[in-house]
Amino acid sequence: MPTAPEPAAPCRSLRDWLDRLAATGRLAVARPGIALEFQLAAVANRLDGRQASFFPRPGGHPVPVVSGLTSDRGWMAEAMGVPPSGLLRRFQDAAANPLPCREVTEAPVQEVVHTEGLDLRRLLPLPTHNEHDSGPYITAGLLISRNPRSGIQNVSIHRLQLSGPDRLGVLLLPRHTLAYLSMAEAEDADLEVAVVVGVDPLCLLASQAIAPLDTDELEIAGALHGAPLPVVKCRTNAVRVPAEAEIVVEGRILREAREEEGPFGEFPQYYGERAPRHVLRVDAVTTRRRPIFHTIVGGGLEHLLLGGIPREATLLAHLQRLFPSVRDVHLSRGGVMRYHLYVQMEKRSEGEAKNVILGAFAGHYDIKHVVVVDADVDIHDPREVEWAVATRFQADRDLVVITESQGSRLDPSTRDGLGAKMGLDATVPLDAPEMRFKRIAVPGERELVLGEVLDAGADWRGRLDGRGAS
């Protein structure tokens, strides 16, 4: 499997990142003409976590598609210019110390401007990913909106269904974009927005920061870059967008308008249901002269990691403020990097692990199951966590269950998001005899260099007979 090089400077653009991936064998180029319906997603899924994919002329469309740009934790650390061990800390620092953007008047993303006769299917290579998806979607678009009262921007990613030549259905959860729309509707106005497609991994990651209302995630992206992010004003509204992006869809979320959207394959590997959703009306599309379209296949590693890493950084900071004994956190892949949280701690008093569990549930409503382990357990190895549960946990004393609590509406086992939460205290009792929970270890095993002790090419029968190497 191709491996990432040593960390370098932070990545500044999509094209810079593609060059890095290609130079290290991590970008696969498909044959021209891969079908936009299902086939493109099938190829991307087969390469998921090993290589990103580049699709020239998909379905005969002149605009190429890329996918899988951020499907490995190590790649995300490399894009930041830090080792994997520094990934969460670097994100925490950027979220705490954002850099104001630098506005420019000319930008690559506005080299070509379309305002008349808009037809998104003609302008953009929109894929259909999963079997029962309701049609083509934009899945990797940063939806940027402005507070109608203060002008402060918000950046997030929403699924965007092609509903007509110049209309997109958009799923808005009760978060910041919806809050801004409510402000606009109170003034009997639409909400001006822009959908930005084709940005570097750090802009993507910053868009998923769990931050207070009126935090501009583009400023967090600038901090991750180590320099203010260049932005440019849209051609038809006041939204500012990354100047180095590939594509911008300018438009308005219509006040009080609803149209059917979905189903769509989501991160839990189930379909989000069909229901009346908000509507985005397109006013313009601007692009580079030879743009690249980025798509994220629903439920793949790229989808999971983009949501998981910012949540980990936020949850770690939250828990460490309350419990200095917490050392690390990890949202597991098996828990779709949203629902299952592993916490590593150095327990100082009995009952502390249960308090950590409660603190984790308060950190984000998506958290469904929490496992707390000691510092000797590698929380990035699911076998280690399962071993701790198997040998250090007893359900009658170490289990925490909270019923009828808010969870993820995309979890099909809930009742419209209402469900139960469970915490497992898999830590060693502080008063346990020293040898009762002592982990077995072979002296010198970790330091052993196998090449120094193995006899390459030796034949076992020859050694048995004393004849030496074969």
Side-chain angles (χ1 to χ4, degrees):
M1 181 186 301
T3 56
E6 290 298 314
C11 175
R12 296 291 180 85
S13 72
L14 170 61
R15 295 178 183 226
D16 173 29
W17 185 240
L18 290 175
D19 283 339
R20 293 195 197 189
L21 294 177
T24 50
R26 291 175 288 165
L27 180 65
V29 179
R31 293 177 179 174
I34 294 292
L36 283 166
E37 186 177 42
F38 307 141
Q39 190 178 20
L40 185 149
V43 174
N45 275 345
R46 290 291 295 271
L47 295 170
D48 197 27
R50 297 182 292 117
Q51 288 179 294
S53 43
F54 184 92
F55 300 92
R57 298 194 64 81
H61 201 284
V63 176
V65 174
V66 293
S67 190
L69 301 177
T70 60
S71 56
D72 183 275
R73 291 181 70 91
W75 298 7
M76 295 302 305
E78 178 193 348
M80 290 185 191
V82 299
S85 60
L87 180 64
L88 297 189
R89 179 61 62 189
R90 181 74 186 93
F91 191 87
Q92 287 175 332
D93 289 344
N97 301 284
L99 285 179
C101 297
R102 176 173 60 88
E103 188 161 349
V104 298
T105 56
E106 296 183 359
V109 77
Q110 293 181 345
E111 289 172 340
V112 179
V113 179
H114 304 274
T115 57
E116 301 293 334
L118 297 174
D119 183 346
L120 290 179
R121 194 188 288 269
R122 177 179 59 83
L123 294 173
L124 304 176
L126 302 176
T128 301
H129 292 154
N130 289 294
E131 179 183 9
H132 297 291
D133 285 358
S134 55
Y137 270 80
I138 297 174
T139 59
L142 305 187
L143 195 152
I144 305 178
S145 57
R146 288 170 69 84
N147 184 320
R149 299 168 187 167
S150 68
I152 297 174
Q153 297 199 155
N154 175 74
V155 187
S156 52
I157 297 178
H158 301 265
R159 70 192 204 206
L160 297 161
Q161 172 192 276
L162 181 67
S163 301
D166 60 352
R167 295 172 81 84
L168 295 165
V170 52
L171 171 62
L172 296 183
L173 297 175
R175 293 280 293 158
H176 299 168
T177 307
L178 188 57
Y180 287 176
L181 177 59
S182 297
M183 294 179 192
E185 287 180 332
E187 300 173 2
D188 198 28
D190 300 332
L191 180 67
E192 294 183 343
V193 298
V195 178
V196 183
V197 182
V199 294
D200 68 89
L202 303 184
C203 281
L204 287 167
L205 196 61
S207 76
Q208 300 302 290
I210 302 172
L213 186 69
D214 285 342
T215 298
D216 187 345
E217 287 82 359
L218 293 184
E219 296 185 351
I220 297 176
L224 289 172
H225 288 152
L229 185 73
V231 296
V232 65
K233 181 178 176 294
C234 285
R235 290 301 184 93
T236 61
N237 63 40
V239 176
R240 272 63 173 178
V241 296
E244 296 292 329
E246 298 288 323
I247 298 162
V248 173
V249 177
E250 302 179 9
R252 295 158 285 138
I253 298 180
L254 303 179
R255 59 188 180 278
E256 300 176 354
R258 302 290 187 276
E259 293 178 1
E260 291 294 314
E261 182 271 337
F264 174 75
E266 277 284 2
F267 68 85
Q269 280 92 58
Y270 294 100
Y271 290 93
E273 64 183 358
R274 185 171 183 82
R277 312 285 189 199
H278 292 89
V279 178
L280 193 161
R281 176 72 179 268
V282 179
D283 295 320
V285 176
T286 72
T287 73
R288 288 174 176 256
R289 286 196 179 88
R290 299 177 63 188
I292 301 169
F293 185 88
H294 177 209
T295 192
I296 296 174
V297 179
L301 278 173
E302 185 172 27
H303 193 177
L304 300 183
L305 282 165
L306 280 173
I309 290 171
R311 281 173 170 78
E312 287 179 348
T314 301
L315 287 164
L316 180 59
H318 163 72
L319 287 175
Q320 287 181 331
R321 280 194 298 270
L322 299 172
F323 310 101
S325 56
V326 170
R327 292 289 170 263
D328 199 6
V329 300
H330 178 59
L331 288 163
S332 71
R333 181 177 176 183
V336 295
M337 299 199 75
R338 299 291 199 285
Y339 300 160
H340 289 181
L341 180 71
Y342 302 154
V343 182
Q344 184 191 67
M345 68 178 298
E346 293 182 2
K347 188 170 68 174
R348 299 173 301 183
S349 60
E350 294 301 342
E352 186 180 16
K354 289 186 173 66
N355 287 352
V356 168
I357 289 169
L358 298 175
F361 291 147
H364 199 285
Y365 62 84
D366 271 354
I367 302 300
K368 182 177 180 180
H369 299 150
V370 177
V371 181
V372 181
V373 299
D374 294 293
D376 67 321
V377 177
D378 181 2
I379 57 175
H380 295 273
D381 184 343
R383 294 173 301 180
E384 284 259 308
V385 176
E386 186 177 353
W387 171 83
V389 172
T391 62
R392 299 178 179 183
F393 168 82
Q394 286 295 321
D396 61 341
R397 68 164 189 256
D398 298 322
L399 181 66
V400 176
V401 177
I402 302 173
T403 62
E404 298 296 289
S405 54
Q406 183 188 7
S408 168
R409 291 188 177 184
L410 291 175
D411 175 359
S413 69
T414 67
R415 302 191 315 277
D416 196 27
L418 191 66
K421 299 183 183 294
M422 178 177 71
L424 289 77
D425 176 0
T427 59
V428 172
L430 293 175
D431 60 356
E434 179 184 0
M435 293 304 294
R436 185 168 185 176
F437 289 93
K438 175 72 73 174
R439 298 185 68 163
I440 62 173
V442 176
E445 180 182 350
R446 289 183 177 273
E447 297 78 23
L448 185 67
V449 179
L450 287 176
E452 296 178 355
V453 297
L454 298 182
D455 196 351
D459 172 65
W460 73 270
R461 289 187 178 275
R463 285 288 183 258
L464 181 66
D465 298 337
R467 295 196 304 267
S470 59

